[in-house]
Every structure is written in structure tokens, then in C-alpha cells.
Amino acid sequence: MRIDAVTLFPDYFEPLRLSLIGKAMEQDLLRFETTFLRDFAWDKHHRVDDTPVGGGAGMVMKPEPWAQALDHVRRRHSAAEPASGESRPTRPVLILPTPAGEVFTQRHAADLAAADHLIFACGRYEGIDHRVFDWAEDDFDVRPLSIGDYVLNGGEVAAIAMIEAITRLIPGVVGNPDSLVEESHASGLLEYPVYTKPATWRGREVPATLLSGDHARIAQWRQDQSLQRTRRVRPDLYARYTQSRHGGPDAADESGSTGHA
Ligand code: 6GU
């Protein structure tokens, strides 16, 4: 997979070179590059923003530097050798981190982990001239995505969060693929609580079931904990989970699930 980020702040992305994602880059499972938007503003002052048409506070990003930068990224990709494991290139996915987008979930992460080329267009100020997105539809699969209901100063931090969620689902990036199956959100539920040794720590015990050696009971306990935690902390997820499985919010209580998909 290739990932590009177009940004006024390329340094924001340096931490991605650490840890598992950095290792995936070294193994050529992933290629990541940043493109400095200001290099594509060819007026004397390299301006990337201007006042909003129709008035209002703040500044809006000018369309032409974005079009030039995105064309550059697209051309560089079609010219480059495929990364290992890649087949024929498809339409690149253009992700627009914006609080006005659909909320990014594990489902988006799984879907985007199968893409060949992701480009993150990291806006600043009040946003990017909207005509850029209409224009981009010709050559990109355009996806406005938000990471939650709050406002950040720009798309970079949101892009980093999405890149981490997506790239850890690429085969080979996370060492043990079982850890992807059991974690929070993989099943639509939050994960159950976890414990390690010692069995007694500062007067607090590990739940006895987990020490029983009875794998079926342990799986049932974990499933129950997941359901209870999700119902308490995320009633929205709980309702969706029970409705999708049984057509009603109380059906999961008597489901007798095995705890493993
Ligand atoms: Cl994706 N961008 C910005 N600027 N703010 C956000 C966001 C994205 N998601 C939540 N808040």
C-alpha cells in the first residue's frame, strides 16, 4: 500500500516512522510520503489561503495549489514501481479529514486497508475551497472523514489516527493476527477486561473464572463482560449489535454465544 499526505506541516507525520508502521515501511509493506502544499503555490508569497467568499471569519484554502499538489501525487504514483504484493493500480482514495465528514470507524479502517493508494488531504484554517472536491471526483475516490465530534486545528492529527488504524490491518504489519480478531470493535462490541500475573496484586484478585482452565467458561465470561461493558459505556453500539444479530435490544442476553466468531 502507498499512503501520501498533502500538508503544510510534514513534520507532524514523523512519529509514524516509529514502531510497527515504521517497520512495515522498512519491509516495503507500506510506502509513506508527505507532500508540502506550499511548494505548489507559485505566486510570489506562496499563498495557500484567502478570505471566504460571502464573508465570515477565518481563511479558506485556495483551490489551485491543491489541484497542482494532488495531480503531482497521482502522477508520481502511476510512474512508480508497485510496492511488493500490489497488483494493477486502481483509482486512488482521496481522504479529506474534516469534522464535517462521516465518522471514521473500524469498518472504514478495514475497508481502506484493502486499498492500493490512499491520499490524505490535510486542510487547515476553515477548510478547502469546495470546488476542489468536485474536481477531484474525476480521478479519485473522494472520502470526507471525521474522527469524532470535536474540532481540531487541522487534518494532520486526524490523518495520523486513521493511518494507524488502517495500516495495522494490513497483513504482516501486526505480528499476531489473532490480536486483531479479539480486540474492541472487531465484533461490534468493546473488548472485555484483561489481566496478567500475579493472581493477587495489592489485595486485588484476578476474576476466578480466568484461573479455572475451563476454556468454554472463560470464553463465555469474556463475552458477557463485553456485552455488559458495551451496554453500559456505549448504548449506541450495544443497540446496533443486538439489533443486527437478533432483531431486538434484549435478545443478546439469552444468546448463549460462544464468545468467538
Ligand atoms: Cl478529521 N479534522 C479536523 N480538523 N477536526 C476534526 C476531525 C478532522 N475530526 C474531528 N475533528
Side-chain angles (χ1 to χ4, degrees):
M1 177 189 281
R2 281 159 210 280
I3 300 181
D4 282 279
V6 182
T7 174
L8 287 174
F9 299 96
D11 290 348
Y12 258 99
F13 293 91
E14 281 306 304
L16 282 179
R17 302 191 189 279
L18 305 170
S19 153
L20 288 176
I21 294 168
K23 229 159 87 190
M25 290 191 222
E26 282 165 26
Q27 295 169 0
D28 207 25
L29 293 167
L30 178 65
R31 293 183 186 177
F32 176 74
E33 279 183 84
T34 55
T35 295
F36 185 42
L37 181 70
R38 210 175 291 284
D39 285 345
F40 298 87
W42 287 320
D43 65 302
K44 198 169 82 187
H45 300 289
H46 301 282
R47 279 198 67 176
V48 295
D49 63 331
D50 209 333
T51 55
V53 177
M59 299 294 271
V60 174
M61 300 192 93
K62 291 157 67 68
E64 188 56 20
W66 277 105
Q68 300 276 347
L70 293 172
D71 274 340
H72 168 82
V73 168
R74 196 165 51 82
R75 278 198 302 269
R76 184 173 61 198
H77 178 233
S78 45
E81 289 289 306
S84 65
E86 274 179 12
S87 52
R88 206 159 43 77
T90 51
R91 256 158 77 92
V93 182
L94 180 62
I95 299 173
L96 312 166
T98 167
E102 221 175 85
V103 175
F104 176 82
T105 64
Q106 191 66 22
R107 188 178 298 237
H108 293 93
D111 172 31
L112 293 168
D116 170 49
H117 187 196
L118 306 178
I119 303 165
F120 287 83
C122 300
R124 285 262 147 183
Y125 317 113
E126 299 304 309
I128 302 170
D129 186 308
H130 196 73
R131 292 169 293 181
V132 173
F133 310 132
D134 297 335
W135 165 84
E137 297 275 2
D138 288 346
D139 292 306
F140 303 90
D141 179 3
V142 180
R143 309 280 291 271
L145 293 172
S146 162
I147 61 163
D149 294 338
Y150 42 84
V151 177
L152 304 169
N153 285 334
E156 285 80 6
V157 168
I160 290 167
M162 290 189 255
I163 289 168
E164 185 159 315
I166 293 163
T167 55
R168 62 194 293 286
L169 300 179
I170 297 171
V173 172
V174 167
N176 178 1
D178 288 347
S179 61
L180 299 178
V181 176
E182 292 186 11
E183 69 198 4
S184 287
H185 295 293
S187 64
L189 292 175
L190 304 183
E191 201 180 348
Y192 46 81
V194 295
Y195 302 85
T196 185
K197 294 175 272 293
T200 304
W201 173 78
R202 299 197 177 195
R204 291 163 169 82
E205 310 286 338
V206 166
T209 305
L210 298 179
L211 300 167
S212 69
D214 180 337
H215 296 297
R217 259 185 78 209
I218 292 171
Q220 182 64 58
W221 182 89
R222 287 176 167 165
Q223 174 72 4
D224 292 345
Q225 292 290 315
S226 278
L227 283 165
Q228 283 170 35
R229 177 183 270 182
T230 308
R231 183 161 58 181
R232 187 175 71 247
V233 179
R234 292 292 305 275
D236 57 324
L237 288 184
Y238 183 76
R240 199 176 320 153
Y241 177 82
T242 55
Q243 271 154 26
S244 71
R245 300 189 96 210
H246 306 286
D250 295 320
D253 291 336
E254 63 247 4
S255 71
S257 163
T258 61
H260 286 286

